[in-house]
Amino acid sequence: ADDRADLVELGYNLMTAADNRIRPEVRKNASLFRDGLQIALLALRPFRKRNFASLEIGKHVVRVDGAWWLVLSRDETKTRQPVEVPFPQQLVPALVRYLEEYRPLLAGSRYTGSRLWLSYRFTPQAAHSIQLQIVARTQEAFGKSINPHLFRDCVATSIAIHDPENVRMAALILGHRSFATTERYYNLARTLEAGRNYTKVIAQGREKARRSSRKRPK
């Protein structure tokens, strides 16, 4: 899983499994859906785990003119830079379903606060707990664990290849003090992609030559 697409797909798979009620206990399905949403969201918006764990509805996850946004003040970021980025449009239906159906199951009648991520124990989910869950889910899916910090490396490279028009937004999300840091990832990613394309072209050329040689009369 060296590409954010693999992580997003894993997130969707977990959410689908929860929707299909694979667990006999509804709150366990709620936890499964939460984990899937967390993985997919982190794959697209790789916040630092402390910020990610402390997200609050109405403060950091806000709806403005019908659109959902992720907002952090300068006092809440490591680089002292405010962050305002749109919630990934493709995940908005999952966010709404989590807020309306699954989060209330996790909150029960015991938690009435505004934290976005809730644990199975009716309490806000700690950053360490989120990390352990993500490590376990990725280990099960890919045969190797990917902690939330590694999501940031995956995304920096992947955005540069697959979503270059948003590479500057990546700098904001990743908390780089300047665009130069993200630009280094961008240049590296483009170099790697060019190398892969070159290798693919060479392999295709060799295969074409082999086929042509087999067709020649002896």
Side-chain angles (χ1 to χ4, degrees):
D2 58 354
D3 190 286
R4 65 173 175 168
D6 297 317
L7 295 167
V8 173
E9 182 179 8
L10 171 59
Y12 274 109
N13 288 343
L14 294 175
M15 289 187 286
T16 299
D19 282 339
N20 290 336
R21 305 292 192 268
I22 67 165
R23 303 283 175 80
E25 207 271 302
V26 291
R27 295 187 70 252
K28 289 187 177 179
N29 281 308
S31 297
L32 185 63
F33 190 94
R34 176 205 63 208
D35 293 350
L37 179 56
Q38 287 176 344
I39 289 171
L41 179 56
L42 273 175
L44 297 168
R45 301 289 186 269
F47 287 110
R48 298 182 189 280
K49 66 179 182 180
R50 179 179 61 82
N51 291 131
F52 189 75
S54 63
L55 291 175
E56 292 184 34
I57 302 165
K59 180 181 179 182
H60 305 112
V61 184
V62 298
R63 195 175 185 187
V64 181
D65 295 329
W68 288 92
W69 287 78
L70 292 164
V71 179
L72 296 173
S73 71
R74 60 176 299 169
D75 295 332
E76 296 172 304
T77 64
K78 185 176 180 180
T79 57
R80 309 286 293 176
Q81 296 293 322
V83 173
E84 294 183 7
V85 294
F87 198 95
Q89 186 61 36
Q90 68 200 84
L91 290 179
V92 167
L95 171 66
V96 172
R97 197 155 66 255
Y98 173 73
L99 293 176
E100 293 180 352
E101 179 180 351
Y102 290 109
R103 185 179 177 278
L105 290 173
L106 294 172
S109 59
R110 305 188 196 181
Y111 180 75
T112 58
S114 59
R115 286 279 288 276
L116 178 63
W117 308 120
L118 303 183
S119 76
Y120 186 77
R121 296 191 172 119
F122 305 99
T123 59
Q125 197 178 18
H128 184 62
S129 171
I130 293 175
Q131 176 168 316
L132 290 178
Q133 288 295 105
I134 289 175
V135 164
R137 298 294 187 194
T138 53
Q139 176 67 45
E140 181 180 10
F142 305 127
K144 63 179 180 179
S145 62
I146 304 176
N147 67 50
H149 183 73
L150 291 179
F151 277 49
R152 297 167 65 80
D153 292 339
C154 292
V155 171
T157 303
S158 184
I159 286 180
I161 293 175
H162 302 294
D163 198 14
E165 65 272 18
N166 285 323
V167 71
R168 287 187 178 272
M169 186 177 75
L172 183 64
I173 298 169
L174 293 167
H176 294 160
R177 291 185 181 276
S178 73
F179 177 65
T181 304
T182 309
E183 194 169 35
R184 283 198 295 273
Y185 277 108
Y186 177 84
N187 291 334
L188 172 61
R190 302 297 285 186
T191 300
L192 292 173
E193 182 72 358
R196 283 196 291 267
N197 289 337
Y198 176 75
T199 302
K200 182 178 179 181
V201 169
I202 293 298
Q204 289 173 340
R206 287 175 177 169
E207 178 61 26
K208 184 177 180 181
R210 280 196 294 268
R211 287 199 300 268
S212 176
S213 107
R214 284 197 295 267
K215 291 179 182 177
R216 289 183 191 136
K218 295 182 180 179

